[in-house]
Amino acid sequence: MPDESQVSMVPDDVFDPAEIDDLVDDLGPGEVARLLKIGLGDIGERVARLRDVSGDDLMEGCGLAHQLKSLFAQFGALTAAREAAALEACASPQAFAARLLAFEACARRALVWLEDKQAGLAPPA
C-alpha cells in the first residue's frame, strides 16, 4: 500500500459539487457565482505569490498554502485542498519546492473545474 505522500501525488482529482450545491441552496446561484468569481481571483493571486516566495520565506509560503487549503475546501476542490495541506506541512524550503510542482498542477485543474462551476451559475449576459 502506498504511503500518504505517494497517494497525494495521484492525479485523480476529487471534487465535491455538494459543497457548491449547499452554498447555492443557502445563498442562491447569483450570489454563489459572485463568490466563486472572487474566490477564483483570490486563489489565482495566492498561487502566483506562492511561486514568488517558495524559496525565500518558508513561513510565508506555508501561510499561503494554508489559505489555499481553506479556499479549495470551501468550494469542494478536495484534492487541491489536500495538496495544499501537504505543502503547508513542509518543514524545509527544499521539501516545499519539491511539493510545489505537484500542487500547482493540481491547483490548475481545480481552477478549471471551479471556473466551469462559476460559469454554470452566472446569469446570462
Side-chain angles (χ1 to χ4, degrees):
M1 175 169 212
D3 67 35
E4 181 62 27
S5 66
Q6 292 169 320
V7 171
S8 66
M9 299 297 279
V10 175
D12 296 329
D13 294 316
V14 177
F15 300 107
D16 183 5
E19 294 292 334
I20 293 176
D21 294 342
D22 289 346
L23 288 171
V24 169
D25 290 344
D26 293 343
L27 304 172
E31 183 63 15
V32 175
R34 187 184 74 75
L35 290 174
L36 275 168
K37 183 177 181 179
I38 293 167
L40 286 165
D42 288 347
I43 289 168
E45 177 185 314
R46 284 174 173 82
V47 169
R49 284 180 46 210
L50 201 54
R51 279 185 227 113
D52 293 339
V53 303
S54 65
D56 299 329
D57 187 350
L58 183 61
M59 184 175 260
E60 184 178 356
C62 290
L64 287 167
H66 177 79
Q67 294 167 8
L68 285 161
K69 174 183 69 175
S70 297
L71 284 165
F72 281 128
Q74 175 182 1
F75 294 121
L78 304 181
T79 304
R82 185 182 68 220
E83 285 295 328
L87 194 59
E88 178 186 11
C90 289
S92 73
Q94 296 80 11
F96 192 92
R99 289 230 45 111
L100 184 58
L101 292 175
F103 169 76
E104 286 181 323
C106 187
R108 280 191 299 276
R109 293 187 301 271
L111 283 168
V112 168
W113 182 76
L114 290 170
E115 287 168 353
D116 287 347
K117 294 301 263 179
Q118 192 267 336
L121 293 170

